[in-house]
């Protein structure tokens, strides 16, 4: 699965923001890269307080991105190229400009108020409870012309919906059908563990050992009552039934942003979501023991739940993994090593746009920052802009093939050298390596089951064999700074994350921080 962050993928009309026609223009690139499917981040009508994750109309394309006919043409072209397309659904909250919320705040007697979470404050001008927003500050804002507060787990422009009101569920069922009828292959569910809140909206417990991050109190509370309530699982049971009524294969992947994979596993399975992102894996350090623990747990728990595991390293909310793994050539080489390992695992690897060329986190200067987190935490955090900078398609400044106008975020400083067209032309580039690996993965594991046999490893070495239709494949990852040897019966190196891998006389030699597949 390839994640397209629409604002930064391809701008076809020169306004500096990516759009639907831009995606369509670049679909051949994605088909050639060798991915099966594309997830497109929200493109619905939105005031863009959270860059599209604040939806004002779930059935319209924002004019910034085009129109519904542009979406239809993009989808048709994707299908023609053999690519599936999933769209992002944001059910936890709407935009404050959504008709429902507008009506709710303009008329105190409106039935729309019960579609959101309005409450009286506590005595002394205190909000109804102690919950804090993920973006910093309290999760409650006083309504502009009334006396109550409304709940927003994110920005104040993103009021949380009241999923205890059945009209909300009916509306989302209809929204799903709207996009399924247009032919989408499925959905990425935003904040999938949100939706339901504690019925009594009790205070969240204060954690032992406060971690006050960047001037917010967010991490000082345990989110016991604000999300991951059991009622939400029933919603996905319903949604699964709706999807299963459609012909062909349709899928849902949940952004269940919980680090405990045991809790995440409750969301997936034959009668729930098809997949959920594995954020524990995304949080692994470049250490064999961390990685292997998260892989083994992911395989075990998803296996028990009856759902394919997912392998995520980067997305539009996380620091890019080349940077997390140390940055520069070394961070990229480590990123390739982990990528090669996940490509040998059963389940779905998710690729975030730009990682295939080794994009790093960009240091966006304060005056160009866009992320609402930045404003809400009084500049104390840098926010998520650094992983959202535009795709450099070609070496030509200033627009690098992305735009003819001024890009909404600056390009990475190395865009003139690190870009798609340069790397396509260079057989030794990271991009061509991704293309080779994706092709090899498909050829090797198409039709393969999930059986893995783990070989003895240690805190620096992960090794397993995976059975595939054409024979077994050995995958070995050395995370140490020294070369490592292991005894193997394989003799042929199929692919490696770095040069210098040798398999001779029954001994495999892996250079430092390197992964290889052998047969
Ligand atoms: C999810 C999205 C993030 C967004 C938030 C609120 O975490 O991935 O980008 O800000 O939800 O919708």
């Amino acid at each position: 699965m390839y994640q397209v962050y629409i604002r930064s993928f391809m701008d076809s009309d020169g306004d500096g923001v990516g759009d639907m026609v831009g995606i369509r223009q670049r679909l051949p690139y994605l088909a050639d890269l060798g991915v099966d499917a594309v997830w497109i981040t929200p493109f619905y009508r939105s005031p863009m307080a959270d860059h599209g994750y604040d939806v004002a109309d779930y059935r319209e394309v924002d004019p910034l991105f085009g129109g519904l006919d542009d979406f239809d043409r993009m989808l048709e072209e994707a299908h023609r190229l053999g690519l599936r397309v999933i769209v992002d659904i944001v059910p936890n909250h709407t935009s404050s400009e959504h008709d429902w919320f507008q009506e709710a705040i303009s008329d105190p007697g409106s039935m729309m108020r019960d579609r959101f979470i309005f409450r009286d404050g506590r005595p002394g001008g205190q909000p109804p409870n102690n919950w804090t927003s993920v973006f910093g500050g309290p999760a409650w804002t006083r309504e502009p012309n009334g006396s109550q507060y409304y709940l927003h787990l994110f920005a104040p422009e993103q009021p949380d919906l009241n999923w205890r009101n059945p009209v909300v569920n009916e509306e989302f069922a209809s929204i799903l059908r709207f996009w399924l009828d247009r032919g989408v292959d499925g959905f990425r569910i935003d904040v999938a563990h949100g939706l339901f809140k504690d019925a009594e909206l009790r205070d969240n417990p204060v954690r032992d050992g406060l971690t006050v991050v960047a001037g917010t109190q967010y991490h000082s509370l345990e989110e016991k009552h604000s999300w991951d309530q059991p009622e939400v699982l029933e919603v996905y049971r319903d949604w699964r039934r709706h999807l299963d009524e459609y012909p062909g294969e349709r899928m849902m992947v949940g952004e269940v942003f919980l680090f405990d994979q045991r809790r995440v596993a409750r969301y997936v399975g034959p009668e729930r979501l098809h997949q959920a992102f594995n954020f524990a894996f995304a949080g692994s350090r470049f250490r064999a023991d961390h990685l292997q623990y998260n892989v083994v747990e992911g395989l075990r728990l998803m296996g028990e739940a009856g759902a394919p595991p997912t392998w995520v390293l980067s997305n539009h909310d996380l620091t890019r993994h080349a940077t997390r793994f140390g940055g520069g050539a070394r961070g990229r080489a480590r990123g390739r090593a982990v990528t090669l390992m996940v490509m040998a695992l059963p389940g779905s690897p998710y690729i975030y746009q730009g990682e295939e060329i080794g994009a790093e986190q960009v240091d966006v200067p304060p005056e160009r920052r866009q992320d609402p987190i930045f404003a809400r935490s009084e500049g104390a955090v840098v926010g998520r802009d650094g992983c959202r900078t535009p795709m450099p398609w070609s070496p030509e400044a200033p627009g690098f093939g992305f735009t003819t106008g001024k890009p909404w975020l600056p390009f990475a400083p190395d865009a003139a050298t690190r870009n798609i067209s340069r790397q396509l032309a260079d057989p030794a580039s990271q991009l061509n390596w991704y293309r080779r690996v994706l092709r090899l993965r498909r050829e090797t594991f198409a039709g393969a089951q999930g059986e893995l046999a783990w070989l003895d490893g240690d805190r620096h070495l992960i090794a397993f064999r995976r059975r595939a239709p054409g024979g077994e494949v050995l995958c070995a990852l050395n995370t140490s700074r020294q070369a490592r040897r292991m005894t193997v019966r394989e003799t042929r190196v199929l692919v490696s994350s770095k040069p210098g891998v040798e398999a001779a006389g029954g001994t495999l030699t892996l250079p430092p921080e390197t992964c290889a597949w052998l047969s």
Side-chain angles (χ1 to χ4, degrees), residues 50 92-93 127 129-141 150-160 204 213-221 223 226-227 371-377 381 384:
D50 189 21
N92 181 68
H93 45 265
N129 68 20
N130 72 349
W131 297 359
T132 49
S133 151
V134 175
F135 291 167
W140 296 93
T141 290
Y150 67 90
L151 178 72
H152 53 87
L153 293 182
F154 295 86
E157 296 87 352
Q158 294 167 295
D160 279 54
N204 273 330
V213 171
T216 78
Q217 303 162 354
Y218 173 57
H219 293 277
S220 65
L221 298 176
E223 295 88 41
S226 43
W227 51 34
D371 188 348
I373 288 186
F374 178 59
R376 300 229 354 125
S377 41
V381 294
R384 301 164 294 178

Side-chain angles (χ1 to χ4, degrees), residues 314-423:
S314 286
N315 71 23
H316 66 294
D317 296 324
L318 305 174
T319 302
R320 283 191 177 272
H321 65 262
T323 305
R324 282 199 327 264
F325 287 152
R330 180 160 188 219
R332 279 193 292 278
R334 288 171 157 190
R336 283 197 303 280
V338 179
T339 298
L340 190 56
M341 176 188 68
V342 306
M343 294 284 181
L345 291 172
S348 300
Y350 279 73
I351 298 173
Y352 176 48
Q353 69 183 41
E355 72 172 69
E356 71 274 32
I357 55 171
E360 284 194 66
Q361 193 76 1
V362 176
D363 193 5
V364 175
E367 68 280 6
R368 293 212 58 187
R369 287 184 194 157
Q370 304 275 348
D371 188 348
I373 288 186
F374 178 59
R376 300 229 354 125
S377 41
E378 286 142 19
V381 294
V382 293
R384 301 164 294 178
D385 297 319
C387 62
R388 299 176 173 181
T389 59
M391 274 286 266
W393 291 96
S394 68
E396 293 86 37
F400 298 103
F402 165 75
T403 186
T404 53
K406 182 176 187 239
W408 75 288
L409 279 173
F411 285 94
D414 60 357
T417 48
R418 182 174 304 287
N419 55 63
I420 304 290
S421 65
R422 275 264 179 113
Q423 292 209 10

